[in-house]
Amino acid sequence: MSAARSADFGTGVLSRVVALIHTLLTVEALLLLTCAPGLAVLFLLAPDPANLPLAALCLLPLGPALSAAAYALHHRSADLTELHPAHAYVRGWRLNARPALRLWAPLLAWLTVIAFTLTHFTATGLPRWWAVLLALVGAGSLLWGAHALVLTSLFTFRARDTARLAAYFLLRHGRATLGAASLLLLAAALTALLTEALPALLAAPLLLSLLHSSRPVITEAREEFTA
């Protein structure tokens, strides 16, 4: 093999595609492995509103796992000879598990309260427009969580600063928020039309799409809010 060909090995189009596929599969496998106990119990639960608190407990490991996956995907290499997605995932988990959990646990608790209220709404005696308002608040909370996930995964802000920045970017970068909304709608549609397991199996590609749509958020956070 000539010196020129040796220099090009691992950097061509085919190599980049293979590197991306390898990274996605590795990160997806590690994410599912990290969340396996909770997801297994979750899929066994009956679709009963009374199980919502237990379902939230099962989803607690998902926050740190998503953050580690986002970290690994953001730091992926396009060079086939420089692939270390498993190492990047483990490093991301070590760096981000606690910060992610500080935001993920309250968000999960808040969403559980909203879901429980909506499933028992007739017992509250409130007017119907309150249900619409609660649903909108829940959707906004999810979008805030998407921005918070990206910021927590890629930066070392304090939890309260991450929370404020995530809220700030909701309106500051409408396209990024719209991109996150489209991914959440896609995940909801896959769950409703096919199976609730499909979004979990496609978590890595969905996260990669979220990182792509969040590039303006990442750029501004790096340029304006880091030293």
Side-chain angles (χ1 to χ4, degrees):
M1 183 180 292
S2 65
R5 290 183 179 179
S6 297
D8 290 338
F9 179 76
T11 60
V13 175
L14 181 59
S15 295
R16 291 198 295 271
V17 172
V18 173
L20 177 60
I21 293 174
H22 172 76
T23 299
L24 288 172
L25 291 176
T26 302
V27 169
E28 179 69 35
L30 289 171
L31 189 153
L32 292 176
L33 181 63
T34 305
C35 300
L39 292 178
V41 175
L42 183 65
F43 291 141
L44 292 175
L45 289 178
D48 188 329
N51 289 328
L52 282 172
L54 181 56
L57 287 176
C58 293
L59 288 173
L60 269 180
L62 184 61
L66 288 174
S67 184
Y71 177 93
L73 291 171
H74 180 73
H75 292 89
R76 72 188 188 280
S77 173
D79 190 339
L80 192 59
T81 63
E82 295 292 335
L83 292 182
H84 306 286
H87 175 75
Y89 182 91
V90 173
R91 176 174 172 77
W93 199 93
R94 288 175 177 173
L95 290 173
N96 300 328
R98 288 185 179 179
L101 200 56
R102 289 192 187 103
L103 295 172
W104 176 244
L107 175 61
L108 198 56
W110 173 238
L111 292 174
T112 302
V113 170
I114 292 177
F116 193 85
T117 303
L118 288 174
T119 53
H120 296 80
F121 193 76
T122 55
T124 65
L126 294 171
R128 292 183 179 179
W129 63 267
W130 269 95
V132 177
L133 180 61
L134 276 175
L136 291 176
V137 169
S141 300
L142 283 171
L143 294 174
W144 172 88
H147 286 316
L149 170 65
V150 172
L151 293 171
T152 301
S153 303
L154 307 185
F155 301 97
T156 56
F157 301 129
R158 293 175 299 180
R160 61 185 179 184
D161 293 332
T162 300
R164 292 170 181 170
L165 284 175
Y168 167 73
F169 286 132
L170 273 176
L171 297 178
R172 170 68 174 173
H173 291 292
R175 289 187 179 180
T177 301
L178 186 60
S182 64
L183 291 172
L184 289 172
L185 286 174
L186 176 60
L190 291 174
T191 300
L193 298 177
L194 297 173
T195 171
E196 62 274 11
L198 196 53
L201 295 174
L202 295 176
L206 290 173
L207 279 174
L208 186 63
S209 298
L210 177 63
L211 290 171
H212 179 76
S213 65
S214 299
R215 285 184 299 179
V217 171
I218 297 169
T219 300
E220 183 171 347
R222 181 182 296 113
E223 293 178 353
E224 300 295 333
F225 299 101
T226 58

